[in-house]
Amino acid sequence: KPEASIKGVNINHVRRDGVEYGAKVAVSNPYSQSIPICEISFVFKSDGREIARGTIPDPGSLKGNDTTMLDVPLKVPHSVLVSLVKDICRDCDIDYELDLGLIIDLPVFGNITIPVNQKGEIRLPTLKDFF
């Protein structure tokens, strides 16, 4: 059966309405035919609190006998980020946990969910990074 792993989570964009993080997910398909992805669901937590939840309908398909890289956008409103200041001030990073569910449509078996979980840190840029 196909397997998935999260390769990284980064800050993509900072906008007026919030911050968009991006998760890079590698999904390997051992079958020769491409497999449609029906939906991706996610729960994004920081410092033990849920900061984003959502679904991405019909994100594409998995190439046959190959690994497909998926970009999963995670939008977090600024109102939630204010509550993370304590975590950010403690160590200049954001501790996170990301739970993903990739729902794929396998012929004969039907829809199956591939669960993926990762804990990590998103390091924030410092002045030293700009100079």
Side-chain angles (χ1 to χ4, degrees):
K1 104 178 185 187
E3 295 182 3
S5 62
I6 299 170
K7 297 299 181 186
V9 177
N10 296 304
I11 296 174
N12 284 349
H13 304 284
V14 178
R15 303 175 195 258
R16 275 185 276 149
D17 60 339
V19 176
E20 181 179 297
Y21 295 88
K24 298 278 188 202
V25 182
V27 187
S28 63
N29 177 5
Y31 304 114
S32 60
Q33 296 186 15
S34 66
I35 299 172
I37 304 170
C38 302
E39 181 179 272
I40 298 173
S41 62
F42 64 87
V43 176
F44 190 44
K45 298 177 184 173
S46 180
D47 206 24
R49 297 177 34 174
E50 183 178 307
I51 59 173
R53 173 186 291 267
T55 59
I56 301 168
D58 195 25
S61 61
L62 305 175
K63 298 176 219 159
N65 288 328
D66 203 357
T67 298
T68 303
M69 289 300 292
L70 301 173
D71 292 315
V72 180
L74 313 163
K75 295 179 183 173
V76 179
H78 283 304
S79 60
V80 173
L81 293 176
V82 171
S83 66
L84 300 177
V85 170
K86 192 171 27 171
D87 178 40
I88 294 169
C89 290
R90 188 171 46 233
D91 52 9
C92 290
D93 65 20
I94 298 172
D95 300 315
Y96 73 87
E97 180 176 0
L98 178 58
D99 293 315
L100 289 175
L102 280 77
I103 301 170
I104 60 172
D105 183 16
L106 284 178
V108 180
F109 296 107
N111 287 356
I112 66 165
T113 301
I114 302 171
V116 187
N117 175 281
Q118 179 170 311
K119 293 181 181 182
E121 297 175 343
I122 300 170
R123 183 155 163 67
L124 300 176
T126 62
L127 288 176
K128 187 171 68 172
D129 296 327
F130 295 109
F131 298 107

